[in-house]
Amino acid sequence: MRARCLLVIAALMALTLGTARTALADNNATGSVGAVQTGPVGVTPTADVSQAGATAAASVPVAVGGSGNNTATNSVGAVQAGGGNTSNDSTGSVQVSSVSASPSASAGASGSSASADVPVTVGGDGSNTASNSTGAAQIGGGNSSGGSTGVLQSGSPQASPAVGASIVGEAVSASAPVGVAGSGNSAADSVGAAQVGGGNAVTRSFLAAQSGAMTAGTTAGAGGTTTSAPVTVGGGGSNSATDSIGAAQVGGGNTATGSTGTVQSGPVGATPSVASGPTATAASTPAASTPASAAGAPSSPGTRTSEGAPRPNRNTFGATKTPTGGPQTLGQLPFTGLGLLLFVLLGLTLVGTGLTTRARTRLSV
């Protein structure tokens, strides 16, 4: 009986080892203290319930991918998850390969239903490397930190939260996808660098924040009406900050060298739109600025132009303007603007003086 039990246990162990998947990454720690290393991880916790005609379900799948080996050499407090992470002569480094999570929930009762999904991913190509760094946090992939302190590097994050509901035959929905593009962040001999997306490089700088091209598009719908408001902040090329203090760069194609308190952004565009009815066309309102119209071009209705516009004549030539309100004003001499009464009084005074002098001359004779 005992021999049969041992044979059964051996068979089960053989089947288990025969069906186990090959590990995608190996963990190596050499001359390190407090190293925590794990290969790719995937979990999918779920829950559901159904009672009295009502149902509810929830799922939270989470995965940490990556390929290659995790290596920590002469490091203190190195945490590595996924694969393709390397830490050399560093202290307090946290490295995580590409991460994805897709939590979702739904419920329904009496012909009505509601659902919500929040997929989130942090991707990136390549591996994470930290050398001679202190306090380096790297998420995604393609991040490199050398001789830096307090560095946060993240691959391209993407999130697409969405909700929907159906009540009494009417459906409503909303989504707000957000993403930062790019891959590959580099920080060398810097202090306090935050890099998101990719194509960011900082060298010998203090307090630098860099982000790749960003997109956000909010969409909502109810019945036959839908609205959307996409916004983009993008640009070609990469962000670079060298020998700078307090540089903030968003989009791409930004360069700061030997600068202090620099803020740079790629081109910004927004195109909100509204559509109603099954056959209606969407009406969009681009928010991007447009160049001024050339001189002499007709302006669109509702706009005001001040340059080159003729002013209407206030008075017709040869006509007398009649006061319409307020106290009456005295007349003025033409071409002078002086009051007429003043000259009348002056003339009477001179006439009186002349008559008096003439009379005295006669008496003396």
Side-chain angles (χ1 to χ4, degrees), residues 91-95 130 133-138 145 148-153:
T91 302
S93 61
V94 179
Q95 298 171 315
S133 298
T134 301
Q138 300 171 323
S145 174
S148 299
T149 302
V151 176
L152 171 62
Q153 298 173 315

Side-chain angles (χ1 to χ4, degrees), residues 55-191:
T55 60
S59 175
V60 189
V62 179
V64 179
S67 60
N69 302 328
N70 294 319
T71 303
T73 305
N74 300 324
S75 298
V76 177
V79 178
Q80 298 172 324
N85 301 304
T86 302
S87 175
N88 297 322
D89 301 316
S90 298
T91 302
S93 61
V94 179
Q95 298 171 315
V96 181
S97 300
S98 58
V99 180
S100 62
S102 301
S104 62
S106 62
S110 303
S112 301
S113 62
S115 62
D117 299 296
V118 189
V120 179
T121 61
V122 180
D125 299 329
S127 60
N128 297 314
T129 303
S131 301
N132 300 314
S133 298
T134 301
Q138 300 171 323
I139 303 175
N143 301 305
S144 175
S145 174
S148 299
T149 302
V151 176
L152 171 62
Q153 298 173 315
S154 171
S156 56
Q158 307 286 332
S160 301
V163 295
S166 176
I167 303 174
V168 195
E170 295 292 336
V172 296
S173 62
S175 63
V178 179
V180 180
S183 177
N185 299 307
S186 174
D189 302 321
S190 298
V191 177

Side-chain angles (χ1 to χ4, degrees), residues 195-206:
Q195 299 171 319
V196 180
N200 303 304
V202 57
T203 305
R204 296 184 305 274
S205 296
F206 179 74

